[in-house]
Structure formats: C-alpha cells, structure tokens
Amino acid sequence: MKILKNYKELSSTVADIVKRQLKKQPLSKLVLPTGDTPLGMYDELVKRKLDWSHTITYNLDEYIMNPDHPCSYHSYMRKNLFDRTNIYPDHCHFPYRPTLSFEDKINANRGIDLCILGIGSNGHIAFNEPGSSFKSRTRVVDLSLQTIQDNSRFFGSAEDVPKQAITMGLGTIMESKKIVLMANGDHKLQILERAMYDGVTEDIPASILQRHNNVEVYYCD
Ligand code: GLP
C-alpha cells in the first residue's frame, strides 16, 4: 500500500497508470469505478487528452434504476468521463441483465487489462457487500444498510437510494490482469488496513485482493 501526499497526487498517480496502459495498448479493456474518490482521476485523465477511440470500458456496477436518472452511474460516467473524451459510447458497458451475457461480452473481448477500484466503508468493492462469495460473478444484489446510508449523500435521502444493484462479481474482478485500488480519507484507513493486512475473509470483500498477483493500492488522508 502506498500512501500519497494528498488527493491531487492520488488522482494524478492513478491517471498516469491509466495513461500508460492506453499508450502501451490503445485497444485496452478497462474496468472503471464511480463514487467521490475517482472524480479527481477522471479530471486528470481528461486533461491528458488521451486517444480513447480504441478503448473498451466496463463499469463495476449500476443501481437498478433508470440509467438516465441523474444519480445513475451511467449519468455519472457520461458527465465525468465519457462526454469529455473521444470514447465511442458503444464501447462503454455497464453490467446488465442477463448478467451472464455481460460476462460473455467481457470474455468475447478477451478479458480485462486494468481494473480501477474504490472501497466502501464496509470493505465492499463494486457492490460486493460483506458476505459475498469470492467466486461470485456479475449478478443482482441487495445493498447493505451501511451502503444505502453512505450513498444517500448523492440522492438527498436514504429512502431515495435504490435498494438493489447489478455488480461485477469478485470472481470476475479477480480475473483482471492488473488491479489498482484507490482510497481517500481517514474514514477509509481502518477498513483498508484490515482488508490489506488482516486475514482474507468474505466478511471484508476487498481482502480478496491479497490473492491477486498484480495489485497496487494507493491511499491519501
Ligand atoms: C460505491 C461504489 C463503489 C465505490 C464506493 C466508494 O458504493 N459502488 O464502487 O468504491 O461507492 O465510494 P466513494 O469513493 O464515494 O467513497
């Protein structure tokens, strides 16, 4: 785990990793996160004026809701990245039903080169809540009360947060060739340390990353 000076450094460090990936392999397949943490990274990526015309993206997750709703992850991605680059909209994928055909699409495009992750305050990655099987694939999940509470800041109130989502599975994420996890803020430090240094357990989904052979973790407070 690398501790960076501040949020700016966190954002530009991860943006540089994405930049290097796209330069090395324009036809890269990326998995992308949402939430507050990656916002600075997306701004940095836009500033770098990269050529996204050959890139394929998959988002980690999406609420069960109208994708045109302003709080959907589709809207978030359009606003923060897709509409600010030359990426082709039909190269941008979100988990959908039937979930197995989403997985088929990943496999047909020959897997995932680079997966960028955040971490939830309960140790979730994507929407794989505590207790998720390490073998899980893309599926519909119920959100935990903690996640509904945490994400209510985007919706105004907890009642307005969708109670279900579609998420890439832990098994799916672990098949990525490289994984980068970014975390920002004191409130994430304790769960991050438990995930990275304590036992590997389905109670802390992010702890599965200890079993991946190409993972980098960046934190700033
Ligand atoms: C959501 C997303 C996760 C993300 C987490 C942390 O629950 N599904 O993929 O990692 O939020 O978000 P934030 O960066 O806003 O703390």
Side-chain angles (χ1 to χ4, degrees):
M1 175 161 126
K2 297 197 180 93
I3 301 186
L4 300 174
K5 277 202 302 280
N6 51 39
Y7 182 64
K8 170 112 183 85
E9 197 183 1
L10 176 72
S11 303
S12 54
T13 299
V14 182
D16 283 339
I17 293 170
V18 176
K19 177 179 170 178
R20 281 199 294 277
Q21 175 67 39
L22 295 195
K23 293 272 183 205
K24 181 179 80 181
Q25 190 184 334
L27 211 163
S28 284
K29 285 89 62 179
L30 307 181
V31 170
L32 299 175
T34 53
D36 278 330
T37 310
L39 286 171
M41 174 200 51
Y42 290 136
D43 283 343
E44 288 294 324
L45 280 172
V46 170
K47 277 194 218 153
R48 283 159 175 68
K49 298 194 186 306
L50 303 170
D51 179 10
W52 291 79
S53 58
H54 299 285
T55 307
I56 294 174
T57 67
Y58 303 97
N59 265 81
L60 283 164
D61 44 18
E62 176 58 288
Y63 296 107
I64 304 279
M65 71 189 307
N66 182 341
D68 291 329
H69 187 286
C71 295
S72 75
Y73 289 161
H74 282 73
S75 299
Y76 171 104
M77 290 304 299
R78 280 195 294 266
K79 178 170 170 226
N80 294 303
L81 186 71
F82 299 155
D83 287 353
R84 304 163 76 198
T85 67
N86 67 340
I87 197 163
Y88 286 106
D90 60 358
H91 287 181
C92 304
H93 307 289
F94 289 77
Y96 57 84
R97 285 181 281 196
T99 53
L100 283 181
S101 66
F102 174 73
E103 297 249 345
D104 287 344
K105 182 169 290 200
I106 295 175
N107 292 331
N109 288 326
R110 296 170 178 233
I112 296 159
D113 299 302
L114 173 63
C115 171
I116 313 289
L117 295 174
I119 184 169
S121 65
N122 60 3
H124 74 221
I125 49 178
F127 273 135
N128 293 285
E129 300 284 26
S132 297
S133 164
F134 281 165
K135 294 191 180 134
S136 55
R137 312 301 306 183
T138 303
R139 68 204 186 285
V140 175
V141 291
D142 294 329
L143 300 182
S144 71
L145 288 177
Q146 178 72 58
T147 297
I148 290 171
Q149 194 56 50
D150 287 349
N151 290 2
S152 63
R153 68 190 192 281
F154 298 107
F155 287 83
S157 78
E159 291 77 62
D160 294 328
V161 181
K163 306 296 176 279
Q164 287 192 307
I166 309 188
T167 183
M168 286 176 70
L170 295 170
T172 324
I173 289 168
M174 286 292 280
E175 287 166 9
S176 309
K177 293 193 185 93
K178 178 181 173 105
I179 298 179
V180 173
L181 184 146
M182 53 190 316
N184 172 33
D186 292 349
H187 62 298
K188 294 279 178 76
L189 185 57
Q190 197 187 2
I191 191 69
L192 190 59
E193 288 185 329
R194 285 179 67 198
M196 294 305 127
Y197 303 121
D198 286 358
V200 176
T201 164
E202 289 178 350
D203 293 337
I204 303 180
S207 68
I208 194 178
L209 299 176
Q210 293 184 40
R211 293 188 180 157
H212 196 283
N213 61 11
N214 191 5
V215 57
E216 293 173 15
V217 177
Y218 294 97
Y219 168 79
C220 72
D221 63 14

